[in-house]
Amino acid sequence: MEEKPQIGYSKKVMDHFLNPRNVGEVEDADGIGIVGNPVCGDLMQVSIRVEDEIITEIKFKTFGCGSAIATASMVTELAEGKSLDEALEITRQDVADELEGLPPIKMHCSNLAADALHKAIEDYRQKQAKTAET
Ligand code: FES
């Protein structure tokens, strides 16, 4: 008999939850994005190192639940090595698809990581623009 995923979580979600990749904070990060989950109030932070417009290092920290941890772990894997423009195209839906689905009630948690990544990229670009001005 095929093993059923528990309470609607795929095996992939469980794997990323139990073994999250890229946890922590990039030292002297080039960009940091922080977002709050409007539903539960939990926070997600994504920090990035950028070299020649490529994300060479990315880490996350969250107070969020298992779904937030799993999606953030997934997002960091998707984004590492991508150009900033490619990383901006990582959508909430891509992440959910990549994780092979999440229970609908947890979709708001899975939005945090992609949103925080986009903010980190914005933060990097704003800092770059400021440096260029001076
Ligand atoms: Fe807060 Fe999921 S319940 S991030």
Side-chain angles (χ1 to χ4, degrees), residues 52-79:
D52 295 331
E53 290 287 293
I54 303 286
I55 297 177
T56 55
E57 196 181 351
I58 173 164
K59 290 196 171 170
F60 78 93
K61 274 208 271 201
T62 186
F63 296 112
C65 63
S67 297
I69 294 172
T71 46
S73 169
M74 191 74 224
V75 163
T76 60
E77 280 201 332
L78 284 174

PDB file of all heavy atoms in Angstrom, residues 52-79:
ATOM      1  N   ASP A  52      28.091  40.251  -9.135  1.00  0.00           N
ATOM      2  CA  ASP A  52      27.783  40.411 -10.566  1.00  0.00           C
ATOM      3  C   ASP A  52      26.332  40.056 -10.876  1.00  0.00           C
ATOM      4  O   ASP A  52      26.063  39.282 -11.813  1.00  0.00           O
ATOM      5  CB  ASP A  52      28.718  39.544 -11.427  1.00  0.00           C
ATOM      6  CG  ASP A  52      30.156  39.993 -11.307  1.00  0.00           C
ATOM      7  OD1 ASP A  52      30.382  41.200 -11.071  1.00  0.00           O
ATOM      8  OD2 ASP A  52      31.049  39.132 -11.432  1.00  0.00           O
ATOM      9  N   GLU A  53      25.419  40.565 -10.072  1.00  0.00           N
ATOM     10  CA  GLU A  53      23.971  40.377 -10.285  1.00  0.00           C
ATOM     11  C   GLU A  53      23.497  38.933 -10.067  1.00  0.00           C
ATOM     12  O   GLU A  53      22.378  38.586 -10.406  1.00  0.00           O
ATOM     13  CB  GLU A  53      23.558  40.835 -11.703  1.00  0.00           C
ATOM     14  CG  GLU A  53      23.613  42.339 -11.933  1.00  0.00           C
ATOM     15  CD  GLU A  53      22.469  43.085 -11.212  1.00  0.00           C
ATOM     16  OE1 GLU A  53      21.304  42.915 -11.573  1.00  0.00           O
ATOM     17  OE2 GLU A  53      22.792  43.832 -10.276  1.00  0.00           O
ATOM     18  N   ILE A  54      24.371  38.100  -9.503  1.00  0.00           N
ATOM     19  CA  ILE A  54      23.985  36.709  -9.228  1.00  0.00           C
ATOM     20  C   ILE A  54      23.907  36.511  -7.706  1.00  0.00           C
ATOM     21  O   ILE A  54      24.767  37.002  -6.965  1.00  0.00           O
ATOM     22  CB  ILE A  54      25.047  35.713  -9.783  1.00  0.00           C
ATOM     23  CG1 ILE A  54      25.272  35.907 -11.274  1.00  0.00           C
ATOM     24  CG2 ILE A  54      24.710  34.259  -9.441  1.00  0.00           C
ATOM     25  CD1 ILE A  54      24.179  35.399 -12.174  1.00  0.00           C
ATOM     26  N   ILE A  55      22.883  35.785  -7.260  1.00  0.00           N
ATOM     27  CA  ILE A  55      22.774  35.477  -5.830  1.00  0.00           C
ATOM     28  C   ILE A  55      23.734  34.325  -5.522  1.00  0.00           C
ATOM     29  O   ILE A  55      23.506  33.188  -5.955  1.00  0.00           O
ATOM     30  CB  ILE A  55      21.329  35.091  -5.456  1.00  0.00           C
ATOM     31  CG1 ILE A  55      20.403  36.287  -5.719  1.00  0.00           C
ATOM     32  CG2 ILE A  55      21.243  34.639  -3.997  1.00  0.00           C
ATOM     33  CD1 ILE A  55      18.944  36.019  -5.454  1.00  0.00           C
ATOM     34  N   THR A  56      24.803  34.634  -4.803  1.00  0.00           N
ATOM     35  CA  THR A  56      25.804  33.603  -4.545  1.00  0.00           C
ATOM     36  C   THR A  56      25.598  32.943  -3.184  1.00  0.00           C
ATOM     37  O   THR A  56      26.111  31.860  -2.934  1.00  0.00           O
ATOM     38  CB  THR A  56      27.226  34.185  -4.605  1.00  0.00           C
ATOM     39  OG1 THR A  56      27.294  35.285  -3.701  1.00  0.00           O
ATOM     40  CG2 THR A  56      27.580  34.641  -6.007  1.00  0.00           C
ATOM     41  N   GLU A  57      24.870  33.631  -2.306  1.00  0.00           N
ATOM     42  CA  GLU A  57      24.586  33.043  -0.996  1.00  0.00           C
ATOM     43  C   GLU A  57      23.243  33.565  -0.540  1.00  0.00           C
ATOM     44  O   GLU A  57      22.928  34.746  -0.738  1.00  0.00           O
ATOM     45  CB  GLU A  57      25.693  33.460  -0.002  1.00  0.00           C
ATOM     46  CG  GLU A  57      25.697  32.617   1.243  1.00  0.00           C
ATOM     47  CD  GLU A  57      26.776  33.056   2.250  1.00  0.00           C
ATOM     48  OE1 GLU A  57      27.626  33.900   1.922  1.00  0.00           O
ATOM     49  OE2 GLU A  57      26.720  32.547   3.374  1.00  0.00           O
ATOM     50  N   ILE A  58      22.457  32.693   0.076  1.00  0.00           N
ATOM     51  CA  ILE A  58      21.126  33.122   0.550  1.00  0.00           C
ATOM     52  C   ILE A  58      20.770  32.312   1.783  1.00  0.00           C
ATOM     53  O   ILE A  58      21.017  31.107   1.832  1.00  0.00           O
ATOM     54  CB  ILE A  58      20.070  32.961  -0.575  1.00  0.00           C
ATOM     55  CG1 ILE A  58      18.655  33.242  -0.034  1.00  0.00           C
ATOM     56  CG2 ILE A  58      20.110  31.611  -1.242  1.00  0.00           C
ATOM     57  CD1 ILE A  58      17.620  33.476  -1.133  1.00  0.00           C
ATOM     58  N   LYS A  59      20.247  33.021   2.797  1.00  0.00           N
ATOM     59  CA  LYS A  59      19.861  32.320   4.029  1.00  0.00           C
ATOM     60  C   LYS A  59      18.546  32.885   4.546  1.00  0.00           C
ATOM     61  O   LYS A  59      18.189  34.020   4.222  1.00  0.00           O
ATOM     62  CB  LYS A  59      20.939  32.485   5.100  1.00  0.00           C
ATOM     63  CG  LYS A  59      22.196  31.724   4.747  1.00  0.00           C
ATOM     64  CD  LYS A  59      23.102  31.568   5.933  1.00  0.00           C
ATOM     65  CE  LYS A  59      24.220  30.605   5.560  1.00  0.00           C
ATOM     66  NZ  LYS A  59      25.276  30.546   6.546  1.00  0.00           N
ATOM     67  N   PHE A  60      17.856  32.089   5.345  1.00  0.00           N
ATOM     68  CA  PHE A  60      16.601  32.588   5.925  1.00  0.00           C
ATOM     69  C   PHE A  60      16.546  32.324   7.423  1.00  0.00           C
ATOM     70  O   PHE A  60      17.191  31.414   7.939  1.00  0.00           O
ATOM     71  CB  PHE A  60      15.396  31.946   5.239  1.00  0.00           C
ATOM     72  CG  PHE A  60      15.107  30.531   5.702  1.00  0.00           C
ATOM     73  CD1 PHE A  60      14.204  30.297   6.730  1.00  0.00           C
ATOM     74  CD2 PHE A  60      15.742  29.447   5.126  1.00  0.00           C
ATOM     75  CE1 PHE A  60      13.934  29.001   7.174  1.00  0.00           C
ATOM     76  CE2 PHE A  60      15.485  28.148   5.565  1.00  0.00           C
ATOM     77  CZ  PHE A  60      14.586  27.929   6.582  1.00  0.00           C
ATOM     78  N   LYS A  61      15.733  33.174   8.081  1.00  0.00           N
ATOM     79  CA  LYS A  61      15.434  32.998   9.504  1.00  0.00           C
ATOM     80  C   LYS A  61      13.949  33.239   9.645  1.00  0.00           C
ATOM     81  O   LYS A  61      13.426  34.170   9.038  1.00  0.00           O
ATOM     82  CB  LYS A  61      16.133  34.096  10.321  1.00  0.00           C
ATOM     83  CG  LYS A  61      17.533  33.810  10.722  1.00  0.00           C
ATOM     84  CD  LYS A  61      17.897  34.528  12.000  1.00  0.00           C
ATOM     85  CE  LYS A  61      18.447  35.875  11.888  1.00  0.00           C
ATOM     86  NZ  LYS A  61      19.205  36.467  12.884  1.00  0.00           N
ATOM     87  N   THR A  62      13.271  32.439  10.410  1.00  0.00           N
ATOM     88  CA  THR A  62      11.836  32.681  10.577  1.00  0.00           C
ATOM     89  C   THR A  62      11.335  32.257  11.945  1.00  0.00           C
ATOM     90  O   THR A  62      11.893  31.369  12.573  1.00  0.00           O
ATOM     91  CB  THR A  62      11.026  31.935   9.488  1.00  0.00           C
ATOM     92  OG1 THR A  62       9.662  32.310   9.604  1.00  0.00           O
ATOM     93  CG2 THR A  62      11.115  30.426   9.606  1.00  0.00           C
ATOM     94  N   PHE A  63      10.294  32.957  12.365  1.00  0.00           N
ATOM     95  CA  PHE A  63       9.548  32.524  13.550  1.00  0.00           C
ATOM     96  C   PHE A  63       8.342  31.719  13.111  1.00  0.00           C
ATOM     97  O   PHE A  63       7.504  31.385  13.922  1.00  0.00           O
ATOM     98  CB  PHE A  63       9.040  33.747  14.331  1.00  0.00           C
ATOM     99  CG  PHE A  63      10.123  34.599  14.879  1.00  0.00           C
ATOM    100  CD1 PHE A  63      10.332  35.878  14.394  1.00  0.00           C
ATOM    101  CD2 PHE A  63      10.937  34.133  15.893  1.00  0.00           C
ATOM    102  CE1 PHE A  63      11.328  36.676  14.898  1.00  0.00           C
ATOM    103  CE2 PHE A  63      11.937  34.939  16.406  1.00  0.00           C
ATOM    104  CZ  PHE A  63      12.134  36.207  15.911  1.00  0.00           C
ATOM    105  N   GLY A  64       8.252  31.484  11.799  1.00  0.00           N
ATOM    106  CA  GLY A  64       7.038  30.871  11.264  1.00  0.00           C
ATOM    107  C   GLY A  64       6.947  29.378  11.531  1.00  0.00           C
ATOM    108  O   GLY A  64       7.833  28.762  12.128  1.00  0.00           O
ATOM    109  N   CYS A  65       5.872  28.817  11.030  1.00  0.00           N
ATOM    110  CA  CYS A  65       5.554  27.408  11.264  1.00  0.00           C
ATOM    111  C   CYS A  65       6.328  26.488  10.311  1.00  0.00           C
ATOM    112  O   CYS A  65       7.129  26.961   9.497  1.00  0.00           O
ATOM    113  CB  CYS A  65       4.066  27.211  11.040  1.00  0.00           C
ATOM    114  SG  CYS A  65       3.632  27.573   9.338  1.00  0.00           S
ATOM    115  N   GLY A  66       6.035  25.227  10.378  1.00  0.00           N
ATOM    116  CA  GLY A  66       6.711  24.245   9.535  1.00  0.00           C
ATOM    117  C   GLY A  66       6.577  24.544   8.053  1.00  0.00           C
ATOM    118  O   GLY A  66       7.529  24.370   7.287  1.00  0.00           O
ATOM    119  N   SER A  67       5.414  24.982   7.632  1.00  0.00           N
ATOM    120  CA  SER A  67       5.221  25.292   6.203  1.00  0.00           C
ATOM    121  C   SER A  67       6.086  26.468   5.789  1.00  0.00           C
ATOM    122  O   SER A  67       6.628  26.498   4.677  1.00  0.00           O
ATOM    123  CB  SER A  67       3.756  25.633   5.910  1.00  0.00           C
ATOM    124  OG  SER A  67       2.959  24.528   6.191  1.00  0.00           O
ATOM    125  N   ALA A  68       6.211  27.452   6.677  1.00  0.00           N
ATOM    126  CA  ALA A  68       7.054  28.616   6.371  1.00  0.00           C
ATOM    127  C   ALA A  68       8.513  28.178   6.281  1.00  0.00           C
ATOM    128  O   ALA A  68       9.254  28.609   5.392  1.00  0.00           O
ATOM    129  CB  ALA A  68       6.884  29.688   7.445  1.00  0.00           C
ATOM    130  N   ILE A  69       8.929  27.314   7.168  1.00  0.00           N
ATOM    131  CA  ILE A  69      10.313  26.808   7.156  1.00  0.00           C
ATOM    132  C   ILE A  69      10.572  26.021   5.871  1.00  0.00           C
ATOM    133  O   ILE A  69      11.566  26.237   5.174  1.00  0.00           O
ATOM    134  CB  ILE A  69      10.572  25.908   8.389  1.00  0.00           C
ATOM    135  CG1 ILE A  69      10.507  26.745   9.667  1.00  0.00           C
ATOM    136  CG2 ILE A  69      11.916  25.176   8.268  1.00  0.00           C
ATOM    137  CD1 ILE A  69      10.551  25.929  10.952  1.00  0.00           C
ATOM    138  N   ALA A  70       9.648  25.127   5.552  1.00  0.00           N
ATOM    139  CA  ALA A  70       9.843  24.273   4.367  1.00  0.00           C
ATOM    140  C   ALA A  70       9.890  25.114   3.096  1.00  0.00           C
ATOM    141  O   ALA A  70      10.736  24.901   2.224  1.00  0.00           O
ATOM    142  CB  ALA A  70       8.721  23.234   4.276  1.00  0.00           C
ATOM    143  N   THR A  71       8.991  26.093   2.977  1.00  0.00           N
ATOM    144  CA  THR A  71       8.985  26.887   1.751  1.00  0.00           C
ATOM    145  C   THR A  71      10.219  27.771   1.670  1.00  0.00           C
ATOM    146  O   THR A  71      10.784  27.957   0.597  1.00  0.00           O
ATOM    147  CB  THR A  71       7.721  27.767   1.623  1.00  0.00           C
ATOM    148  OG1 THR A  71       7.499  28.416   2.857  1.00  0.00           O
ATOM    149  CG2 THR A  71       6.523  26.956   1.236  1.00  0.00           C
ATOM    150  N   ALA A  72      10.651  28.298   2.815  1.00  0.00           N
ATOM    151  CA  ALA A  72      11.843  29.155   2.792  1.00  0.00           C
ATOM    152  C   ALA A  72      13.063  28.336   2.383  1.00  0.00           C
ATOM    153  O   ALA A  72      13.888  28.793   1.587  1.00  0.00           O
ATOM    154  CB  ALA A  72      12.057  29.776   4.167  1.00  0.00           C
ATOM    155  N   SER A  73      13.162  27.140   2.895  1.00  0.00           N
ATOM    156  CA  SER A  73      14.276  26.264   2.541  1.00  0.00           C
ATOM    157  C   SER A  73      14.270  26.026   1.029  1.00  0.00           C
ATOM    158  O   SER A  73      15.303  26.105   0.349  1.00  0.00           O
ATOM    159  CB  SER A  73      14.117  24.954   3.316  1.00  0.00           C
ATOM    160  OG  SER A  73      14.998  23.985   2.842  1.00  0.00           O
ATOM    161  N   MET A  74      13.084  25.781   0.499  1.00  0.00           N
ATOM    162  CA  MET A  74      12.920  25.546  -0.941  1.00  0.00           C
ATOM    163  C   MET A  74      13.296  26.793  -1.753  1.00  0.00           C
ATOM    164  O   MET A  74      14.019  26.694  -2.758  1.00  0.00           O
ATOM    165  CB  MET A  74      11.430  25.231  -1.160  1.00  0.00           C
ATOM    166  CG  MET A  74      11.102  24.723  -2.498  1.00  0.00           C
ATOM    167  SD  MET A  74      11.663  23.041  -2.628  1.00  0.00           S
ATOM    168  CE  MET A  74      12.391  23.135  -4.221  1.00  0.00           C
ATOM    169  N   VAL A  75      12.824  27.947  -1.302  1.00  0.00           N
ATOM    170  CA  VAL A  75      13.102  29.200  -2.026  1.00  0.00           C
ATOM    171  C   VAL A  75      14.602  29.462  -2.080  1.00  0.00           C
ATOM    172  O   VAL A  75      15.135  29.859  -3.118  1.00  0.00           O
ATOM    173  CB  VAL A  75      12.368  30.390  -1.365  1.00  0.00           C
ATOM    174  CG1 VAL A  75      12.947  31.720  -1.799  1.00  0.00           C
ATOM    175  CG2 VAL A  75      10.890  30.338  -1.704  1.00  0.00           C
ATOM    176  N   THR A  76      15.299  29.202  -0.970  1.00  0.00           N
ATOM    177  CA  THR A  76      16.738  29.464  -0.976  1.00  0.00           C
ATOM    178  C   THR A  76      17.429  28.546  -1.989  1.00  0.00           C
ATOM    179  O   THR A  76      18.344  28.964  -2.682  1.00  0.00           O
ATOM    180  CB  THR A  76      17.380  29.279   0.420  1.00  0.00           C
ATOM    181  OG1 THR A  76      17.182  27.938   0.851  1.00  0.00           O
ATOM    182  CG2 THR A  76      16.832  30.263   1.424  1.00  0.00           C
ATOM    183  N   GLU A  77      16.944  27.317  -2.088  1.00  0.00           N
ATOM    184  CA  GLU A  77      17.541  26.405  -3.077  1.00  0.00           C
ATOM    185  C   GLU A  77      17.242  26.862  -4.500  1.00  0.00           C
ATOM    186  O   GLU A  77      18.085  26.760  -5.388  1.00  0.00           O
ATOM    187  CB  GLU A  77      17.000  24.987  -2.888  1.00  0.00           C
ATOM    188  CG  GLU A  77      17.675  24.245  -1.766  1.00  0.00           C
ATOM    189  CD  GLU A  77      17.521  22.743  -1.903  1.00  0.00           C
ATOM    190  OE1 GLU A  77      16.543  22.279  -2.487  1.00  0.00           O
ATOM    191  OE2 GLU A  77      18.419  22.036  -1.392  1.00  0.00           O
ATOM    192  N   LEU A  78      16.022  27.348  -4.711  1.00  0.00           N
ATOM    193  CA  LEU A  78      15.645  27.803  -6.061  1.00  0.00           C
ATOM    194  C   LEU A  78      16.435  29.042  -6.472  1.00  0.00           C
ATOM    195  O   LEU A  78      16.784  29.214  -7.625  1.00  0.00           O
ATOM    196  CB  LEU A  78      14.150  28.155  -6.110  1.00  0.00           C
ATOM    197  CG  LEU A  78      13.138  27.017  -6.167  1.00  0.00           C
ATOM    198  CD1 LEU A  78      11.722  27.579  -6.058  1.00  0.00           C
ATOM    199  CD2 LEU A  78      13.266  26.227  -7.454  1.00  0.00           C
ATOM    200  N   ALA A  79      16.688  29.918  -5.495  1.00  0.00           N
ATOM    201  CA  ALA A  79      17.261  31.229  -5.824  1.00  0.00           C
ATOM    202  C   ALA A  79      18.782  31.214  -5.934  1.00  0.00           C
ATOM    203  O   ALA A  79      19.359  32.011  -6.679  1.00  0.00           O
ATOM    204  CB  ALA A  79      16.843  32.250  -4.765  1.00  0.00           C
TER     205      ALA A  79
END
